[in-house]
Amino acid sequence: MMHQAAIELGVTSRVLAGAPDSSAAQVTGQVEIGDYTQWEDVNAVSQGADAVTFDHEHVPNEFLDGLIEQGLNVQPQPTALINAQDKLVMRKRLRELGMPVPPFMEITSVEDAREFHRATQGNVCLKARRGGYDGKGVWFPDNEEDTAELVAELLDKGTPLMAEKKVQLVRELSAMVARRPSGETVAWPVVESVQEDGICVEAIAPADNPSRAAELAVSIAEELGVTGALAVELFETRDEAGQPEIIVNELAMRPHNTGHWTQDGCVTSQFEQHIRAVLDRPLGSTAMLAPHTVMSNVLGADFEPDTPIDARMDAVWRRFPQAKIHMYGKGWRPRRKMGHVNVTGESVEDIRRIARLCSHYIVTEQWADGWSEYRKAHR
């Protein structure tokens, strides 16, 4: 999707892909097949580029330092990126900056885990410091013994761990901003992120009463020196007086799933903005094009229908021609993010219903409300 935006900007992109059928490799002219954990591959694909950037945070920072030493323009810089790579580093840095974070602790032993469990009265969220996403690398043990056994098992596997206090969640928010190396920063409207089983299923823009979420995101981008797109995932909780309270959950320094709605809901999408930002070009307007936009993720169902996916998309458009479907060229797998549907409109309730109906039909070939073209034709 960054490549699509690059085409319209007259920018040529070169992609390091893990396989020829990777999503970006399917649509990009210049593709290098390789492994981002191998210096030779990262170095080769970066040569001659005006900017080197990422669609995930896991490229080793020592590789990025090596590119910078050669004079290459790496955005975001590894000094910022480390805060999206390592959750403990991020927690410590945000606490230093006075940002709202939950109580946390590095876990290097079973005794550390037991101590944290007691200190939080059992409200423990255990996290792998690196590599977790979509609910992976996050655990909520039921009691102290479960905590101790889980930590012993994970440490034995070599998994670096941290723990943080489990919060009383009201809802999840996502505040996205973009920042140029020269300092210009813009924010999109804050969205509500709806999660199921640790996976984002829906983003609702704009969120009602987002409090100071956008201000926090801008401050984090500026304090950490982030460049390109930044997603700040936040928890809304309640303080002891019952008032709304915002806590920073995680950071993503790239275009993010909760920003996909901007493709059809804003003057400038996160993908175009990211490219403009890392090239240090003027940033675009983030104004909304409609009162509301809802993004619904297309998640692989338990079983893949026999009808080809393009026919299922056609059926969606026949019923809802206003639906904007974005598919990723990925093969089916249960709960895999295969694409998303954006719907804009006046009524958030109406477009939520439409977006969810569309994404559900694409993966199941069934309308969740029981509607059928046959029944409609024979009323």
Side-chain angles (χ1 to χ4, degrees):
M1 290 178 279
M2 273 196 282
H3 178 60
Q4 290 174 312
I7 292 171
E8 295 183 350
L9 298 177
V11 173
T12 300
S13 56
R14 185 188 311 139
V15 171
L16 177 63
D21 61 351
S22 297
S23 294
Q26 294 178 36
V27 298
T28 310
Q30 296 187 43
V31 180
E32 299 285 342
I33 304 301
D35 185 344
Y36 68 86
T37 67
Q38 299 299 312
W39 161 249
E40 294 78 10
D41 295 339
V42 173
N43 184 49
V45 78
S46 303
Q47 294 305 308
D50 293 299
V52 179
T53 192
F54 322 97
D55 67 354
H56 63 68
E57 293 90 355
H58 309 306
V59 179
N61 265 355
E62 58 266 29
F63 294 179
L64 307 183
D65 288 331
L67 298 178
I68 292 170
E69 288 173 5
Q70 297 179 46
L72 290 166
N73 175 28
V74 177
Q75 304 292 343
Q77 297 266 296
T79 50
L81 198 62
I82 185 62
N83 295 281
Q85 295 171 330
D86 189 313
K87 295 177 176 63
L88 182 63
V89 171
M90 180 265 291
R91 282 278 180 262
K92 289 180 176 179
R93 182 68 178 122
L94 292 183
R95 183 173 62 185
E96 289 173 2
L97 295 171
M99 303 294 177
V101 297
F104 66 92
M105 180 178 177
E106 181 177 8
I107 303 297
T108 60
S109 67
V110 171
E111 187 50 45
D112 285 345
R114 289 187 181 276
E115 178 186 339
F116 191 82
H117 188 278
R118 294 168 193 147
T120 60
Q121 291 78 50
N123 293 306
V124 176
C125 173
L126 188 67
K127 290 185 174 183
R129 288 173 53 181
R130 289 175 172 263
Y133 69 99
D134 285 349
K136 299 178 178 65
V138 179
W139 302 270
F140 296 95
D142 292 327
N143 52 55
E144 185 173 334
E145 289 309 312
D146 286 347
T147 301
E149 290 177 12
L150 179 58
V151 166
E153 178 185 343
L154 291 169
L155 290 177
D156 188 57
K157 293 178 179 177
T159 305
L161 296 173
M162 63 167 286
E164 58 189 36
K165 185 176 181 180
K166 183 168 61 175
V167 301
Q168 297 300 312
L169 184 64
V170 175
R171 61 175 178 167
E172 296 192 40
L173 301 172
S174 178
M176 289 206 63
V177 301
R179 181 175 178 273
R180 297 167 59 186
S182 56
E184 181 189 8
T185 307
V186 298
W188 284 274
V190 177
V191 305
E192 180 176 352
S193 173
V194 180
Q195 308 281 320
E196 292 179 3
D197 299 324
I199 300 176
C200 175
V201 296
E202 186 179 49
I204 304 165
D208 291 332
N209 303 315
S211 186
R212 51 191 287 260
E215 296 173 20
L216 272 174
V218 170
S219 295
I220 289 170
E222 292 175 346
E223 292 287 354
L224 298 184
V226 177
T227 49
L230 167 70
V232 179
E233 298 182 75
L234 305 128
F235 292 147
E236 182 180 298
T237 65
R238 290 284 185 267
D239 62 18
E240 293 180 358
Q243 296 301 308
E245 186 175 33
I246 297 293
I247 292 175
V248 178
N249 178 27
E250 294 188 358
L251 306 179
M253 297 180 191
R254 52 177 167 78
H256 189 254
N257 188 213
T258 58
H260 288 351
W261 69 277
T262 61
Q263 284 175 296
D264 304 296
C266 286
V267 173
T268 310
S269 77
Q270 64 169 345
F271 304 105
E272 177 182 343
Q273 199 82 290
H274 183 78
I275 293 171
R276 288 163 70 160
V278 301
L279 291 170
D280 206 13
R281 297 172 70 176
L283 302 181
S285 167
T286 56
M288 294 185 65
L289 298 174
H292 299 281
T293 301
V294 171
M295 184 279 298
S296 180
N297 274 324
V298 176
L299 302 175
D302 292 338
F303 300 96
E304 185 177 24
D306 293 330
T307 303
I309 196 165
D310 56 347
R312 286 176 259 151
M313 292 167 63
D314 289 352
V316 165
W317 284 323
R318 282 193 292 270
R319 183 177 180 188
F320 297 113
Q322 72 271 42
K324 301 292 288 186
I325 303 173
H326 303 269
M327 300 303 294
Y328 308 157
K330 294 182 177 180
W332 167 85
R333 188 170 70 225
R335 303 299 287 169
R336 185 183 202 183
K337 289 178 183 173
M338 300 173 62
H340 63 273
V341 177
N342 288 335
V343 182
T344 62
E346 299 283 337
S347 165
V348 68
E349 292 80 9
D350 287 347
I351 63 175
R352 284 189 75 182
R353 179 183 64 86
I354 292 170
R356 283 212 163 193
L357 284 171
C358 293
S359 60
H360 183 267
Y361 186 90
I362 290 171
V363 292
T364 64
E365 202 181 5
Q366 295 179 355
W367 291 111
D369 62 352
W371 185 90
S372 75
E373 291 178 304
Y374 177 84
R375 274 207 296 272
K376 179 186 176 187
H378 291 81
R379 281 177 182 170

Coordinates of all heavy atoms in Angstrom, one line a residue, residues 93-172:
R93 N 11.7 4.6 28.8 CA 11.9 5.9 28.2 C 10.6 6.8 28.4 O 10.8 8.0 28.7 CB 12.2 5.7 26.7 CG 12.5 7.1 26.0 CD 13.7 7.7 26.5 NE 14.0 8.9 25.8 CZ 14.2 10.1 26.4 NH1 14.1 10.2 27.7 NH2 14.4 11.2 25.6
L94 N 9.5 6.2 28.2 CA 8.2 7.0 28.4 C 8.1 7.4 29.8 O 7.6 8.5 30.1 CB 7.0 6.1 27.9 CG 6.9 5.9 26.4 CD1 5.7 5.1 26.1 CD2 7.1 7.1 25.6
R95 N 8.4 6.5 30.7 CA 8.4 6.9 32.2 C 9.3 8.1 32.4 O 8.9 9.0 33.2 CB 8.7 5.7 33.1 CG 8.5 6.0 34.6 CD 8.7 4.8 35.4 NE 10.0 4.2 35.2 CZ 10.4 3.1 35.8 NH1 9.5 2.4 36.5 NH2 11.6 2.6 35.6
E96 N 10.5 8.1 31.9 CA 11.4 9.2 32.0 C 10.9 10.5 31.5 O 11.1 11.5 32.1 CB 12.7 8.9 31.3 CG 13.6 7.8 31.9 CD 14.8 7.4 31.0 OE1 14.9 8.1 29.9 OE2 15.6 6.5 31.3
L97 N 10.1 10.4 30.5 CA 9.5 11.6 29.8 C 8.2 12.0 30.6 O 7.6 13.0 30.2 CB 9.2 11.3 28.4 CG 10.4 11.1 27.5 CD1 9.9 10.6 26.1 CD2 11.2 12.3 27.4
G98 N 7.8 11.3 31.6 CA 6.6 11.6 32.3 C 5.3 11.2 31.6 O 4.2 11.7 31.9
M99 N 5.4 10.3 30.6 CA 4.2 9.8 29.9 C 3.4 8.8 30.8 O 4.1 8.1 31.6 CB 4.6 9.2 28.6 CG 5.3 10.1 27.6 SD 4.3 11.5 27.1 CE 5.5 12.4 26.1
P100 N 2.1 8.7 30.6 CA 1.3 7.8 31.5 C 1.5 6.3 31.0 O 1.2 5.9 29.9 CB -0.1 8.2 31.2 CG -0.1 8.9 29.9 CD 1.3 9.5 29.8
V101 N 2.2 5.5 31.9 CA 2.4 4.1 31.6 C 2.0 3.3 32.9 O 2.0 3.8 34.0 CB 3.8 3.8 31.2 CG1 4.2 4.5 30.0 CG2 4.8 4.2 32.4
P102 N 1.6 2.1 32.7 CA 1.2 1.3 33.9 C 2.5 0.9 34.7 O 3.6 0.9 34.1 CB 0.6 0.0 33.3 CG 1.2 -0.1 31.9 CD 1.4 1.3 31.5
P103 N 2.4 0.5 35.9 CA 3.5 -0.1 36.7 C 4.1 -1.3 35.9 O 3.3 -2.1 35.4 CB 2.9 -0.5 38.0 CG 1.7 0.4 38.2 CD 1.1 0.6 36.8
F104 N 5.4 -1.4 35.8 CA 6.0 -2.5 35.1 C 7.3 -2.9 35.7 O 7.8 -2.2 36.6 CB 6.3 -2.0 33.6 CG 7.3 -0.9 33.5 CD1 8.6 -1.2 33.3 CD2 6.9 0.4 33.6 CE1 9.6 -0.2 33.2 CE2 7.8 1.4 33.5 CZ 9.2 1.1 33.3
M105 N 7.8 -4.0 35.3 CA 9.1 -4.6 35.9 C 9.7 -5.5 34.9 O 9.0 -6.3 34.2 CB 8.7 -5.3 37.2 CG 9.9 -5.9 37.9 SD 9.4 -6.7 39.4 CE 10.9 -7.4 40.0
E106 N 11.0 -5.4 34.8 CA 11.8 -6.4 34.0 C 11.7 -7.8 34.8 O 11.9 -7.8 36.0 CB 13.2 -6.0 33.8 CG 14.0 -7.0 33.0 CD 15.4 -6.6 32.7 OE1 15.9 -5.6 33.3 OE2 16.1 -7.2 31.9
I107 N 11.5 -8.9 34.0 CA 11.4 -10.2 34.7 C 12.5 -11.0 34.2 O 12.6 -11.4 33.0 CB 10.0 -10.9 34.3 CG1 8.9 -10.0 34.7 CG2 10.0 -12.3 34.9 CD1 8.7 -9.8 36.2
T108 N 13.5 -11.3 35.1 CA 14.6 -12.1 34.8 C 14.7 -13.4 35.5 O 15.6 -14.2 35.3 CB 15.9 -11.3 35.0 OG1 16.0 -11.0 36.4 CG2 16.0 -10.1 34.2
S109 N 13.7 -13.6 36.4 CA 13.7 -14.8 37.2 C 12.3 -15.1 37.7 O 11.4 -14.2 37.6 CB 14.6 -14.7 38.5 OG 14.0 -13.7 39.4
V110 N 12.0 -16.3 38.1 CA 10.7 -16.7 38.7 C 10.4 -15.9 39.9 O 9.3 -15.4 40.1 CB 10.7 -18.2 39.0 CG1 9.4 -18.5 39.8 CG2 10.8 -19.0 37.7
E111 N 11.4 -15.6 40.7 CA 11.2 -14.7 41.9 C 10.8 -13.3 41.6 O 9.9 -12.7 42.2 CB 12.5 -14.7 42.8 CG 12.3 -14.0 44.1 CD 11.1 -14.5 44.9 OE1 10.9 -15.8 45.0 OE2 10.3 -13.7 45.4
D112 N 11.3 -12.8 40.5 CA 10.8 -11.5 40.0 C 9.3 -11.5 39.7 O 8.6 -10.6 40.0 CB 11.6 -11.1 38.7 CG 13.0 -10.6 38.9 OD1 13.3 -10.3 40.1 OD2 13.7 -10.6 37.9
A113 N 8.9 -12.6 39.0 CA 7.5 -12.8 38.6 C 6.6 -12.9 39.9 O 5.6 -12.3 39.9 CB 7.4 -14.0 37.7
R114 N 7.1 -13.7 40.9 CA 6.3 -13.8 42.1 C 6.2 -12.5 42.8 O 5.1 -12.1 43.3 CB 7.0 -14.8 43.0 CG 6.8 -16.3 42.5 CD 7.4 -17.2 43.6 NE 7.3 -18.6 43.1 CZ 6.2 -19.4 43.2 NH1 5.1 -18.9 43.7 NH2 6.2 -20.6 42.8
E115 N 7.3 -11.7 42.9 CA 7.3 -10.4 43.5 C 6.3 -9.5 42.8 O 5.5 -8.7 43.5 CB 8.7 -9.8 43.5 CG 8.8 -8.4 44.1 CD 10.2 -7.8 43.9 OE1 11.2 -8.6 43.7 OE2 10.3 -6.6 43.9
F116 N 6.3 -9.4 41.5 CA 5.4 -8.5 40.8 C 3.9 -9.0 40.9 O 3.1 -8.1 41.1 CB 5.8 -8.5 39.3 CG 5.1 -7.4 38.5 CD1 5.6 -6.1 38.5 CD2 3.9 -7.7 37.8 CE1 4.9 -5.1 37.8 CE2 3.3 -6.7 37.1 CZ 3.8 -5.4 37.1
H117 N 3.7 -10.3 40.9 CA 2.4 -10.8 41.2 C 1.8 -10.3 42.5 O 0.6 -9.9 42.6 CB 2.4 -12.3 41.1 CG 1.0 -12.9 41.1 ND1 0.3 -13.2 42.3 CD2 0.2 -13.4 40.1 CE1 -0.9 -13.7 42.0 NE2 -0.9 -13.9 40.7
R118 N 2.6 -10.4 43.5 CA 2.1 -10.0 44.9 C 2.0 -8.5 44.9 O 1.0 -8.0 45.5 CB 3.2 -10.4 45.9 CG 3.3 -11.9 46.1 CD 4.5 -12.3 46.9 NE 4.8 -13.7 46.8 CZ 6.0 -14.2 46.8 NH1 7.1 -13.4 47.0 NH2 6.2 -15.5 46.8
A119 N 2.9 -7.7 44.3 CA 2.8 -6.3 44.3 C 1.5 -5.7 43.6 O 1.0 -4.6 44.0 CB 4.0 -5.6 43.7
T120 N 1.1 -6.4 42.6 CA -0.1 -6.0 41.9 C -1.4 -6.7 42.2 O -2.4 -6.6 41.5 CB 0.1 -6.2 40.4 OG1 0.4 -7.6 40.1 CG2 1.3 -5.3 39.9
Q121 N -1.3 -7.5 43.3 CA -2.5 -8.3 43.8 C -3.0 -9.2 42.6 O -4.2 -9.4 42.5 CB -3.6 -7.4 44.3 CG -3.3 -6.7 45.6 CD -2.5 -5.5 45.4 OE1 -2.7 -4.6 44.5 NE2 -1.4 -5.4 46.2
G122 N -2.1 -9.7 41.9 CA -2.4 -10.7 40.9 C -2.8 -10.1 39.5 O -3.2 -10.9 38.6
N123 N -2.8 -8.8 39.4 CA -3.1 -8.2 38.1 C -1.9 -8.1 37.2 O -1.3 -7.0 37.0 CB -3.7 -6.8 38.4 CG -5.0 -6.8 39.1 OD1 -5.9 -7.5 38.6 ND2 -5.1 -6.1 40.2
V124 N -1.6 -9.3 36.6 CA -0.3 -9.4 35.9 C -0.6 -9.6 34.4 O -1.4 -10.4 34.0 CB 0.5 -10.6 36.4 CG1 1.8 -10.8 35.5 CG2 0.9 -10.4 37.9
C125 N 0.1 -8.7 33.6 CA 0.2 -8.9 32.2 C 1.6 -9.2 31.8 O 2.5 -8.3 32.1 CB -0.3 -7.7 31.4 SG -0.1 -7.8 29.6
L126 N 1.9 -10.4 31.4 CA 3.3 -10.8 31.1 C 3.5 -10.6 29.6 O 2.7 -11.0 28.8 CB 3.5 -12.2 31.5 CG 4.9 -12.8 31.4 CD1 5.8 -12.1 32.4 CD2 4.9 -14.3 31.6
K127 N 4.6 -10.0 29.2 CA 4.9 -9.7 27.8 C 6.3 -10.1 27.4 O 7.3 -9.9 28.1 CB 4.7 -8.2 27.5 CG 3.3 -7.7 27.5 CD 3.3 -6.3 27.1 CE 1.8 -5.8 27.0 NZ 1.8 -4.3 26.5
A128 N 6.4 -10.7 26.2 CA 7.7 -10.8 25.5 C 8.2 -9.4 25.2 O 7.4 -8.7 24.6 CB 7.6 -11.7 24.3
R129 N 9.4 -9.1 25.5 CA 9.9 -7.8 25.2 C 10.0 -7.5 23.7 O 9.8 -6.3 23.3 CB 11.3 -7.6 25.9 CG 11.3 -7.4 27.4 CD 12.6 -7.4 28.0 NE 13.5 -6.4 27.4 CZ 14.8 -6.1 27.7 NH1 15.3 -6.9 28.7 NH2 15.5 -5.2 27.1
R130 N 10.2 -8.5 22.9 CA 10.4 -8.3 21.5 C 9.5 -9.2 20.7 O 9.2 -10.3 21.1 CB 11.8 -8.5 21.1 CG 12.8 -7.4 21.5 CD 14.2 -7.7 21.1 NE 15.2 -6.6 21.4 CZ 15.6 -5.7 20.5 NH1 15.1 -5.8 19.3 NH2 16.4 -4.8 20.8
G131 N 9.0 -8.7 19.6 CA 8.4 -9.6 18.6 C 7.0 -9.9 18.7 O 6.4 -10.5 17.8
G132 N 6.3 -9.5 19.7 CA 4.9 -9.8 19.9 C 4.0 -9.0 19.0 O 4.3 -7.8 18.8
Y133 N 2.9 -9.5 18.5 CA 1.9 -8.8 17.8 C 0.6 -9.6 17.8 O 0.6 -10.8 17.9 CB 2.3 -8.5 16.4 CG 2.4 -9.7 15.5 CD1 1.4 -10.0 14.6 CD2 3.5 -10.6 15.5 CE1 1.4 -11.1 13.8 CE2 3.5 -11.7 14.7 CZ 2.5 -12.0 13.9 OH 2.6 -13.1 13.1
D134 N -0.6 -8.9 17.6 CA -1.9 -9.5 17.4 C -2.1 -10.5 18.6 O -2.6 -11.6 18.4 CB -2.0 -10.2 16.1 CG -2.3 -9.2 15.0 OD1 -2.5 -8.0 15.3 OD2 -2.2 -9.6 13.8
G135 N -1.8 -10.1 19.8 CA -2.0 -11.0 20.9 C -1.0 -12.0 21.2 O -1.0 -12.7 22.2
K136 N 0.0 -12.2 20.2 CA 1.1 -13.1 20.5 C 2.1 -12.4 21.3 O 2.4 -11.3 21.2 CB 1.7 -13.5 19.1 CG 0.7 -14.2 18.2 CD 1.4 -14.6 16.9 CE 0.5 -15.3 15.9 NZ -0.7 -14.5 15.5
G137 N 2.7 -13.2 22.2 CA 3.7 -12.7 23.1 C 3.1 -11.9 24.3 O 3.8 -11.2 24.9
V138 N 1.9 -12.2 24.6 CA 1.2 -11.5 25.7 C 0.4 -12.6 26.5 O -0.3 -13.4 25.8 CB 0.2 -10.4 25.3 CG1 -0.5 -9.8 26.5 CG2 1.0 -9.4 24.5
W139 N 0.6 -12.6 27.8 CA -0.1 -13.7 28.6 C -0.7 -13.0 29.8 O -0.2 -12.1 30.4 CB 0.9 -14.7 29.0 CG 1.6 -15.4 27.9 CD1 1.3 -16.5 27.3 CD2 2.9 -15.0 27.3 NE1 2.2 -16.9 26.3 CE2 3.2 -15.9 26.3 CE3 3.8 -13.9 27.5 CZ2 4.3 -15.9 25.5 CZ3 4.9 -13.8 26.7 CH2 5.2 -14.8 25.7
F140 N -1.8 -13.6 30.3 CA -2.5 -13.2 31.5 C -2.7 -14.4 32.4 O -3.7 -15.0 32.5 CB -3.9 -12.6 31.2 CG -3.8 -11.3 30.3 CD1 -3.9 -11.4 28.9 CD2 -3.6 -10.1 30.9 CE1 -3.8 -10.2 28.2 CE2 -3.5 -8.9 30.1 CZ -3.6 -9.0 28.8
P141 N -1.6 -14.7 33.2 CA -1.7 -15.9 34.1 C -2.8 -15.7 35.2 O -3.0 -14.6 35.6 CB -0.3 -16.0 34.7 CG 0.3 -14.7 34.5 CD -0.3 -14.1 33.3
D142 N -3.4 -16.8 35.6 CA -4.5 -16.8 36.5 C -4.1 -16.6 37.9 O -4.9 -16.0 38.7 CB -5.4 -18.1 36.4 CG -6.1 -18.2 35.0 OD1 -6.4 -17.1 34.5 OD2 -6.2 -19.3 34.5
N143 N -3.0 -17.1 38.3 CA -2.6 -17.1 39.7 C -1.1 -17.1 39.8 O -0.4 -17.1 38.8 CB -3.2 -18.2 40.5 CG -2.9 -19.6 39.9 OD1 -1.8 -19.9 39.7 ND2 -4.0 -20.3 39.6
E144 N -0.6 -17.0 41.1 CA 0.9 -16.9 41.2 C 1.6 -18.1 40.7 O 2.7 -18.0 40.1 CB 1.2 -16.7 42.7 CG 2.7 -16.4 43.0 CD 3.0 -16.0 44.4 OE1 2.1 -15.5 45.1 OE2 4.1 -16.3 44.8
E145 N 1.1 -19.3 41.0 CA 1.7 -20.5 40.5 C 1.8 -20.6 39.0 O 2.8 -21.0 38.4 CB 1.1 -21.8 41.1 CG 1.3 -21.9 42.6 CD 2.8 -21.8 43.0 OE1 3.6 -22.5 42.3 OE2 3.1 -21.1 43.9
D146 N 0.7 -20.2 38.4 CA 0.6 -20.2 36.9 C 1.7 -19.2 36.4 O 2.4 -19.4 35.4 CB -0.8 -19.8 36.4 CG -1.8 -20.9 36.5 OD1 -1.3 -22.0 36.8 OD2 -3.0 -20.6 36.4
T147 N 1.8 -18.0 37.0 CA 2.7 -17.0 36.6 C 4.2 -17.6 36.7 O 5.0 -17.4 35.8 CB 2.6 -15.8 37.5 OG1 1.3 -15.3 37.4 CG2 3.6 -14.7 37.1
A148 N 4.5 -18.2 37.9 CA 5.8 -18.8 38.1 C 6.1 -19.9 37.0 O 7.2 -19.9 36.5 CB 5.9 -19.4 39.5
E149 N 5.2 -20.8 36.8 CA 5.4 -21.8 35.8 C 5.6 -21.3 34.4 O 6.5 -21.7 33.7 CB 4.3 -22.8 35.8 CG 4.2 -23.6 37.1 CD 3.0 -24.6 37.1 OE1 2.3 -24.7 36.0 OE2 2.6 -25.1 38.2
L150 N 4.8 -20.3 34.0 CA 4.9 -19.7 32.7 C 6.2 -19.0 32.5 O 6.9 -19.1 31.5 CB 3.7 -18.8 32.4 CG 3.7 -18.0 31.1 CD1 3.6 -19.0 29.9 CD2 2.5 -17.1 31.1
V151 N 6.6 -18.2 33.5 CA 7.9 -17.5 33.4 C 9.1 -18.5 33.3 O 10.0 -18.3 32.6 CB 8.0 -16.5 34.6 CG1 9.5 -16.0 34.8 CG2 7.1 -15.4 34.5
A152 N 9.0 -19.5 34.1 CA 10.1 -20.5 34.1 C 10.2 -21.1 32.7 O 11.3 -21.3 32.2 CB 9.9 -21.6 35.1
E153 N 9.1 -21.4 32.1 CA 9.1 -22.0 30.8 C 9.6 -21.1 29.7 O 10.4 -21.4 28.9 CB 7.7 -22.5 30.4 CG 7.5 -23.0 29.0 CD 6.1 -23.3 28.7 OE1 5.2 -23.4 29.6 OE2 5.8 -23.5 27.5
L154 N 9.2 -19.8 29.8 CA 9.6 -18.8 28.8 C 11.0 -18.4 28.9 O 11.8 -18.3 27.9 CB 8.7 -17.6 28.9 CG 7.2 -17.8 28.4 CD1 6.4 -16.6 28.8 CD2 7.1 -18.0 26.9
L155 N 11.5 -18.3 30.2 CA 12.9 -17.9 30.4 C 13.8 -19.1 29.9 O 14.9 -18.9 29.4 CB 13.2 -17.6 31.8 CG 12.6 -16.3 32.3 CD1 12.9 -16.1 33.8 CD2 13.1 -15.1 31.6
D156 N 13.3 -20.3 30.1 CA 14.1 -21.5 29.7 C 14.3 -21.5 28.2 O 15.3 -22.0 27.6 CB 13.4 -22.7 30.2 CG 14.3 -24.0 29.9 OD1 15.4 -24.0 30.4 OD2 13.8 -24.9 29.2
K157 N 13.3 -20.9 27.5 CA 13.3 -20.8 26.0 C 14.1 -19.6 25.5 O 14.3 -19.4 24.3 CB 11.9 -20.7 25.4 CG 11.1 -22.0 25.6 CD 9.7 -21.8 25.0 CE 8.8 -23.0 25.2 NZ 7.4 -22.8 24.7
G158 N 14.6 -18.8 26.5 CA 15.4 -17.7 26.1 C 14.6 -16.4 25.7 O 15.1 -15.5 25.0
T159 N 13.3 -16.4 26.1 CA 12.4 -15.2 25.8 C 12.6 -14.1 26.8 O 12.3 -14.3 28.0 CB 10.9 -15.6 25.9 OG1 10.7 -16.7 25.0 CG2 10.0 -14.5 25.4
P160 N 13.2 -12.9 26.4 CA 13.3 -11.8 27.3 C 11.9 -11.3 27.7 O 11.0 -11.2 26.9 CB 14.0 -10.7 26.5 CG 14.6 -11.5 25.4 CD 13.7 -12.6 25.1
L161 N 11.7 -11.1 29.0 CA 10.3 -10.8 29.5 C 10.2 -9.5 30.3 O 11.2 -9.0 30.9 CB 9.8 -12.0 30.4 CG 9.7 -13.3 29.8 CD1 9.4 -14.4 30.9 CD2 8.6 -13.3 28.8
M162 N 9.0 -9.0 30.4 CA 8.7 -7.9 31.3 C 7.2 -8.2 31.7 O 6.5 -8.9 31.1 CB 8.8 -6.5 30.6 CG 7.8 -6.3 29.5 SD 7.7 -4.6 28.9 CE 6.7 -3.9 30.3
A163 N 6.9 -7.5 32.8 CA 5.5 -7.6 33.3 C 5.0 -6.2 33.6 O 5.7 -5.3 33.9 CB 5.4 -8.5 34.6
E164 N 3.7 -6.0 33.3 CA 3.1 -4.8 33.7 C 1.7 -5.0 34.3 O 1.1 -6.1 34.2 CB 2.9 -3.9 32.5 CG 2.1 -4.4 31.3 CD 2.2 -3.6 30.1 OE1 3.3 -3.0 29.8 OE2 1.2 -3.5 29.4
K165 N 1.2 -4.1 35.1 CA 0.0 -4.2 35.8 C -1.2 -4.2 34.8 O -1.3 -3.3 34.0 CB -0.2 -3.1 36.8 CG -1.4 -3.3 37.7 CD -1.5 -2.3 38.8 CE -2.8 -2.5 39.6 NZ -2.9 -1.4 40.7
K166 N -2.0 -5.2 34.9 CA -3.2 -5.3 34.1 C -4.2 -4.2 34.4 O -4.5 -4.0 35.6 CB -3.9 -6.7 34.2 CG -5.1 -6.9 33.3 CD -5.5 -8.4 33.3 CE -5.9 -8.9 34.7 NZ -6.4 -10.3 34.7
V167 N -4.6 -3.5 33.5 CA -5.5 -2.3 33.7 C -7.0 -2.7 33.6 O -7.3 -3.7 32.9 CB -5.2 -1.2 32.8 CG1 -3.7 -0.7 32.9 CG2 -5.5 -1.5 31.3
Q168 N -7.8 -1.9 34.2 CA -9.3 -2.1 34.0 C -9.7 -1.3 32.7 O -9.8 -0.1 32.7 CB -10.0 -1.6 35.2 CG -9.7 -2.3 36.5 CD -10.1 -3.8 36.4 OE1 -11.2 -4.2 36.0 NE2 -9.1 -4.6 36.8
L169 N -9.8 -2.1 31.6 CA -9.9 -1.5 30.3 C -11.3 -1.0 30.1 O -12.3 -1.8 30.2 CB -9.5 -2.5 29.2 CG -9.5 -2.0 27.8 CD1 -8.4 -0.9 27.6 CD2 -9.2 -3.1 26.9
V170 N -11.5 0.3 29.6 CA -12.7 0.8 29.1 C -12.8 0.6 27.6 O -13.8 0.1 27.1 CB -12.9 2.3 29.6 CG1 -14.2 2.8 28.9 CG2 -12.9 2.4 31.1
R171 N -11.8 1.1 26.9 CA -11.7 0.9 25.5 C -10.3 1.1 25.1 O -9.4 1.6 25.9 CB -12.6 1.9 24.8 CG -12.3 3.3 25.0 CD -13.2 4.3 24.2 NE -12.9 5.7 24.5 CZ -13.3 6.7 23.8 NH1 -14.0 6.5 22.7 NH2 -13.0 8.0 24.2
E172 N -9.9 0.8 23.8 CA -8.6 1.1 23.3 C -8.7 2.2 22.2 O -9.6 2.2 21.4 CB -8.0 -0.2 22.7 CG -7.8 -1.3 23.7 CD -6.9 -2.5 23.2 OE1 -6.0 -2.2 22.5 OE2 -7.2 -3.6 23.5

